[in-house]
């Protein structure tokens, strides 16, 4: 092969060309001398036959060499197509169990050997190294296939879930605008609802401020606008309460009574809304901890409420009923008396000045008491009737002339005896007790003084007396006291 | 049965059952009876211990009682407390309703106990006073 491709082949062609030219020269020449070396008579018929044979032989050799050349070229070209370098993937992500570096080295060496210039090296590599390499490659390929299947198995369930999720995700994306529109609509609706709520609250807030104005009396707490704040489950009422115009800690310094009154001012308008199906309000102990001046305001507010609603009030003291009587407000007062074992009695509650004599008469007529017991009790009720009449006079006089409620109550609670209380009623001075009996004797007669004494002593077991007679006379004295004018009497 | 015991018994009866004609008047009536019982016991005590003291105003009597053994300062304090509470119920006071059944029952028990304490005749019987003072 070396002979065909190398200098021998070219030399053969040059020799063929020279001999052909020599033959053409001989055809045209006269003599038989050699034109190259000048030897005589050598270009003859015998030379012609021998040269002709040599030419044929040489031409066949050249053709064989050309064919061998072409075969070598096509073989190289085929080898080029087969001897590819190892794929980059082998280096990047070798399948598990495969020594990628070793395979890479063997593969690269094989490729280099197969592509070598020396055909003998290439042939030797093809013959001896190809099968082991192929075995290594197919082992690696099998490992890769296995790994691929393993990964596909791992991926499969995820892919299924993903494909189930996909339509929904697409739907969300498609409806994003709808969502935004709905959100905007909801916000708008909420704004409208808040507006309506505030509008609905305004009559309550206005009414509450009006109620508070009537209840506050001497309080320096002001109630400003009432607002609803917060949303969903965290809603609250915001009160703008100020003390002497100072906001901040107003609620902290308000008295129990003021807080009660404030709560009442908020509750009442709400209970009286037109939307309420109830045409009545029921209030438990609104007077608690209220000072007396506020009770008057409360009585007036309730009287105003009673124009459109039935008003039922439960209370544990007599201040509200007293205010109702004093302000001459239309109301029915019931007294609830609870006996042991919760036996309850109801009775119309009249003014104490008439109720005590009624009680005294009932005791006098009762079958369940001894006479000794009756005397003491009847005297006690009669004394209470006179005291109540005195209180009536004092309160009417002092509140009428503008005294503060608290001062009037203090003056009423000061005397501890009937005589001092009567002196306060008659002369506006509890110290003039010694002038009570003379005044009675002068104005009503001696019997009135006797009644006064009997009431005083009888409770403690004084001289015997006719119980019914005492009641009637005590009633007369009480009526006299209540009829007194606002001016203090002169002893 | 002494008059004081009789009054207490009637008060108890009112508290327990009332009577067919005991309208709303029974609470104050019971208060009057219980206070009268206490005053009778106190009068009986002065009759035995210091005749003439019963004529003094009740405030003064209660102050003197506190200086004596028997009954001792503790009992005197209880007598004064019960008497003032009952007196409040027995006078007309602005804005005060009649006493409740529970209040009356408590006063009744107090006065029944104090009556026994006031009947102790000599210091030897008064264990609490000698131990305490």
């Amino acid at each position: 092969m070396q002979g065909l491709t190398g200098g021998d082949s070219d030399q053969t062609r040059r020799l063929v060309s020279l001999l052909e030219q020599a033959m053409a020269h001989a055809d045209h020449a006269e003599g038989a001398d050699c034109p190259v070396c000048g030897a005589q008579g050598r270009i003859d018929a015998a030379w012609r036959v021998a040269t002709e044979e040599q030419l044929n032989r040489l031409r066949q050799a050249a053709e064989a060499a050309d064919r061998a050349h072409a075969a070598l070229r096509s073989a190289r070209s085929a080898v080029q197509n087969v001897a590819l370098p190892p794929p980059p993937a082998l280096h990047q992500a070798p399948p598990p169990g495969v020594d990628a570096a070793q395979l890479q080295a063997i593969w690269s060496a094989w490729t280099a050997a197969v592509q070598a210039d020396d055909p003998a090296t290439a042939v030797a590599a093809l013959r001896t190294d190809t099968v082991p390499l192929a075995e290594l490659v197919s082992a690696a390929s099998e490992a890769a296939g296995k790994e691929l299947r393993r990964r596909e198995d791992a991926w499969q369930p995820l892919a299924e879930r993903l494909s189930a999720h996909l339509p929904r995700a697409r739907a969300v994306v498609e409806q994003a605008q709808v969502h935004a529109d709905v959100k905007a609509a909801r916000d708008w609706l909420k704004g409208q609802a808040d507006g309506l709520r505030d509008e609905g609250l305004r009559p309550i807030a206005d009414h509450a401020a009006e109620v508070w104005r009537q209840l506050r009396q001497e309080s320096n707490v002001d109630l400003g606008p009432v607002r609803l704040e917060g949303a969903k489950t965290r809603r609250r009422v915001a009160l703008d309460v100020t003390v002497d115009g100072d906001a901040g800690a107003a609620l902290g310094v308000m008295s129990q009574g003021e807080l009660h009154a404030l709560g009442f001012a908020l509750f009442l308008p709400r209970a009286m809304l037109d939307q309420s199906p109830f045409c009545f309000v029921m209030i438990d102990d609104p007077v608690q901890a209220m000072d007396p001046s506020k009770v008057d305001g409360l009585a007036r507010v309730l009287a105003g409420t009673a124009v459109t609603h039935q008003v039922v009030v439960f209370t544990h003291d007599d201040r509200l009923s007293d205010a109702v009587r004093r302000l001459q407000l239309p109301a029915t007062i019931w007294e609830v008396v609870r006996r042991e074992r919760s036996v309850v009695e109801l009775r119309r509650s009249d003014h104490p000045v008439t109720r005590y004599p009624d009680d005294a008469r009932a005791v006098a007529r009762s079958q369940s008491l001894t006479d000794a017991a009756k005397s003491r009790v009847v005297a006690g009720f009669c004394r209470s009737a006179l005291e109540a009449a005195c209180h009536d006079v004092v309160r009417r006089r002092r509140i009428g002339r503008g005294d503060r409620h608290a001062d009037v109550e203090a003056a009423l609670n000061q005397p501890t005896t009937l005589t001092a209380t009567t002196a306060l009623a008659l002369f506006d001075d509890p110290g003039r007790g010694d002038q009570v009996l003379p005044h009675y004797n002068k104005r009503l007669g001696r019997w009135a003084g006797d009644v006064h004494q009997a009431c005083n002593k009888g409770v403690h077991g004084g001289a015997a007396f006719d119980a019914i007679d005492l009641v009637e006379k005590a009633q007369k004295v009480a009526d006299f006291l209540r009829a007194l004018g606002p001016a203090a009497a002169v002893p | 049965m002494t008059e004081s015991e009789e009054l207490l018994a009637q008060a108890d009866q009112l508290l327990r059952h009332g009577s067919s004609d005991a309208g709303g008047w029974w609470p104050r009536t019971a208060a009057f009876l219980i206070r009268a019982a206490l005053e009778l016991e106190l009068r009986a005590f002065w009759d035995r211990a210091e005749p003439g003291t019963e004529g003094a105003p009740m405030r003064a009597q209660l102050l003197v009682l506190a200086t004596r053994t028997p009954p001792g300062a503790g009992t005197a304090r209880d007598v004064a407390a019960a008497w003032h509470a009952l007196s409040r119920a027995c006078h007309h006071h602005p804005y005060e309703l009649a006493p409740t059944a529970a209040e009356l029952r408590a006063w009744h028990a107090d006065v029944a106990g104090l009556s026994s304490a006031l009947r102790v005749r000599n210091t030897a019987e008064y264990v609490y006073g000698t131990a305490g003072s």
Side-chain angles (χ1 to χ4, degrees), chain A residues 250-269:
Chain A
L251 285 173
V253 301
M254 287 171 74
S255 74
Q256 192 69 22
E258 283 171 332
L259 287 174
H260 270 283
L262 186 61
F264 182 75
L266 290 173
F267 148 80
L268 191 63

Side-chain angles (χ1 to χ4, degrees), chain A residues 230-249:
Chain A
K232 291 180 181 168
T233 54
R234 298 172 60 86
R235 290 171 185 256
R236 59 202 185 96
V237 176
L239 298 178
D240 186 7
V241 185
T242 56
V243 173
D244 293 325
D246 192 359

Side-chain angles (χ1 to χ4, degrees), chain A residues 315-367:
Chain A
T315 178
H316 284 95
D317 65 32
D318 200 30
R319 284 180 295 166
L320 184 61
S321 42
D322 179 76
V324 164
R325 287 187 199 104
R326 194 154 28 76
L327 300 171
Q328 300 186 338
L329 301 172
T332 311
I333 302 167
W334 291 90
E335 192 177 335
V336 182
V337 185
R338 196 167 133 256
R339 199 183 280 283
E340 281 182 338
R341 302 169 66 83
S342 283
V343 177
V344 166
E345 293 159 14
L346 270 182
R347 63 171 183 165
R348 231 0 226 282
S349 174
D350 306 308
H351 194 288
V353 175
T354 54
R355 192 186 63 223
Y356 285 130
D358 286 349
D359 286 349
R361 283 185 201 97
V363 170
R365 283 193 298 270
S366 171
Q367 304 296 312

Side-chain angles (χ1 to χ4, degrees), chain A residues 459-474:
Chain A
V459 192
H460 306 288
F465 52 84
D466 179 345
I468 295 290
D469 183 54
L470 179 67
V471 178
E472 299 313 325
K473 284 179 174 161

Side-chain angles (χ1 to χ4, degrees), chain A residues 319 339-340 370 387 409, chain B residues 10 14 91-92 95 105:
Chain A
R319 284 180 295 166
R339 199 183 280 283
E340 281 182 338
T370 63
E387 286 170 341
E409 299 315 318
Chain B
Q10 291 180 69
L14 280 177
H91 280 272
H92 173 74
Y95 316 135
R105 176 53 70 193

Side-chain angles (χ1 to χ4, degrees), chain B residues 1 33 52 56 98 104-106 108 128:
Chain B
M1 195 185 270
L33 297 179
L104 289 164
R105 176 53 70 193
H108 188 279
Y128 174 80

